[in-house]
């Protein structure tokens, strides 16, 4: 079964000035990321604004991602929606496409649900596809945390191959690593915890910051696997100033603005999440000097 590893970029979805999908620039940006050394590309993650697109747009974005990656690195596609019905329908459609290595499925969001509800939801998704599935835990955005006991139960599905933990709670990550199923891969979802997740037994990270600093973020993993923990730690610490700026607004919108300021034609975030702030722009330009 497929095993996710390394630094995977939840690629920004390029839009034009009218907020329509810009396929050409999307493919160009993916090509840049791969040539910069990332280990995987993930279409329609949080940084890809999955929540902002309808099903037709999502399919077009995923198809463009498949074409851009062209088998050079593993390709991940996000299919999680609010309801089980919608998630299953999108997952089935996406599963019919060739060129996808793994699906990422965020837990249902906005609605208050319990662990039993999560189990039923993921059971239905796992049973509707043969593709590997990576669970996606981001309680600050969804309002629910996927308990490690729930993950252990869901591991009965062989195509559920791991989980991305964006809780920011390292103890939560450790519970996934230590108390679920040894075959499951655990990925850091918080860029500040990449090296520590690797040291604890995780297999990599889905790194929003790698949209802006792909070489730096990839080096954390590359140094780690070479056994050069000192350089891995230096690279890990170096991302802190940028992450501090991310807290000045919607984090993934700040990441997109940063990519724009670095000259990439990814366009605005879809309203109302677009950032128009001289304060944030100035902070980004100032922090970029630390990475020269």
């Amino acid at each position: 079964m497929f095993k996710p590893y390394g630094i995977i970029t939840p690629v920004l979805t390029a839009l034009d000035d009218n907020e329509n999908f810009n396929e050409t620039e999307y493919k160009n940006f993916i090509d840049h990321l791969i040539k910069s050394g990332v280990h995987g590309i993930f279409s329609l993650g949080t940084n890809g604004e999955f929540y902002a697109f309808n099903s037709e747009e999502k399919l077009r974005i995923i198809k463009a991602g498949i074409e851009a990656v062209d088998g050079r690195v593993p390709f991940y596609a996000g299919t999680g929606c609010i309801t089980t019905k919608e998630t299953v329908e999108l997952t089935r459609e996406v599963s019919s496409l060739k060129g996808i290595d793994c699906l990422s499925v965020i837990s249902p969001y906005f609605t208050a649900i319990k662990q039993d509800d999560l189990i039923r939801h993921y059971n239905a998704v796992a049973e509707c596809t043969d593709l590997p599935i990576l669970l996606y835990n981001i309680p600050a955005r969804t309002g629910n945390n996927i308990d490690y006991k729930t993950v252990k139960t869901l591991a009965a599905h062989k195509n559920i191959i791991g989980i991305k933990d964006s809780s920011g709670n390292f103890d939560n990550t450790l519970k996934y690593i230590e108390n679920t199923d040894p075959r499951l891969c655990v990925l850091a979802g918080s860029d500040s915890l990449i090296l520590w997740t690797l040291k604890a037994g995780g297999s990599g990270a889905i790194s929003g910051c790698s949209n802006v600093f792909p070489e730096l973020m990839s080096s954390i993993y590359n140094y780690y696997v070479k056994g050069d923990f000192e350089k891995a730690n230096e690279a890990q610490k170096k991302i802190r100033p940028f992450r501090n700026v991310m807290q000045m607004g919607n984090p993934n919108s700040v990441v997109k603005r940063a990519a724009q300021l670095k000259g990439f034609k990814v366009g605005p975030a879809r309203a109302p999440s677009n950032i128009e702030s001289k304060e944030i722009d100035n902070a980004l330009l100032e922090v970029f000097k630390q990475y020269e």
Side-chain angles (χ1 to χ4, degrees):
M1 184 59 73
F2 174 78
K3 288 185 176 292
Y5 70 94
I7 302 301
I8 302 152
T9 303
V11 60
L12 302 168
T13 302
L15 302 178
D16 62 23
D17 290 339
N18 295 316
E19 299 186 6
N20 296 311
F21 178 49
N22 188 334
E23 183 171 334
T24 298
E25 292 302 332
Y26 187 61
K27 291 180 176 179
N28 287 341
F29 190 59
I30 288 174
D31 188 59
H32 154 71
L33 292 170
I34 294 174
K35 289 178 177 177
S36 297
V38 302
H39 306 99
I41 295 291
F42 171 19
S43 280
L44 295 176
T46 300
N47 278 267
E49 300 173 81
F50 77 93
Y51 48 81
F53 304 107
N54 62 37
S55 293
E56 183 180 343
E57 289 174 312
K58 288 180 179 180
L59 285 169
R60 185 183 172 199
I61 292 164
I62 290 170
K63 289 175 182 178
I66 293 170
E67 292 175 7
V69 170
D70 194 27
R72 290 179 288 173
V73 295
F75 180 74
Y76 303 71
T79 60
C81 304
I82 294 177
T83 67
T84 303
K85 182 177 185 294
E86 187 180 7
T87 302
V88 167
E89 288 173 351
L90 182 59
T91 298
R92 282 176 174 158
E93 283 196 83
V94 171
S95 296
S96 68
L97 305 176
K98 293 183 178 179
I100 297 174
D101 296 283
C102 186
L103 301 175
S104 173
V105 183
I106 192 171
S107 61
Y109 46 96
F110 185 76
T111 180
I113 56 176
K114 297 181 179 180
Q115 295 301 309
D116 286 348
D117 302 318
L118 285 172
I119 290 171
R120 286 193 295 271
H121 175 79
Y122 280 117
N123 281 344
V125 177
E127 290 165 4
C128 83
T129 182
D130 292 327
L131 284 175
I133 294 172
L134 186 67
L135 309 178
Y136 179 8
N137 185 50
I138 182 168
R141 299 291 185 97
T142 63
N144 60 76
N145 185 70
I146 306 175
D147 190 86
Y148 76 92
K149 295 177 184 177
T150 297
V151 175
K152 187 172 184 178
T153 298
L154 292 170
H157 295 280
K158 296 304 179 185
N159 61 331
I160 290 181
I161 51 87
I163 186 166
K164 171 195 175 184
D165 186 20
S166 294
S167 68
N169 180 342
F170 190 53
D171 187 58
N172 193 69
T173 301
L174 288 175
K175 287 177 181 177
Y176 291 152
I177 294 171
E178 298 172 355
N179 299 311
T180 58
D181 187 317
R183 72 170 182 82
L184 295 179
C185 295
V186 178
L187 299 173
S190 174
D191 283 16
S192 62
L193 295 175
I194 294 173
L195 180 56
W196 319 120
T197 298
L198 289 168
K199 284 188 171 184
S203 63
I206 295 179
S207 164
C209 294
S210 66
N211 279 287
V212 184
F213 303 106
E215 296 95 341
L216 174 63
M217 303 313 296
S218 297
S219 75
I220 298 172
Y221 180 80
N222 294 337
Y223 284 132
Y224 173 78
V225 295
K226 290 178 182 177
D228 194 335
F229 303 133
E230 184 176 349
K231 286 187 176 179
N233 193 33
E234 288 176 4
Q236 176 69 78
K237 290 191 293 185
K238 195 171 182 180
I239 201 62
R240 174 58 59 191
F242 178 62
R243 283 184 56 78
N244 288 342
V245 179
M246 286 170 62
Q247 304 310 310
M248 294 175 66
N250 179 42
N252 52 286
S253 298
V254 176
V255 169
K256 198 168 196 183
R257 182 58 181 158
Q260 285 180 292
L261 291 174
K262 288 181 76 70
F264 296 103
K265 299 177 182 179
V266 293
R270 187 165 274 185
S273 299
N274 191 31
I275 287 178
E276 296 181 3
S277 167
K278 288 185 178 180
E279 182 184 8
I280 290 176
D281 283 1
N282 290 336
L284 286 169
L285 292 172
E286 191 62 31
V287 85
F288 287 166
K289 295 176 183 178
Q290 301 184 43
Y291 298 92
E292 294 175 351

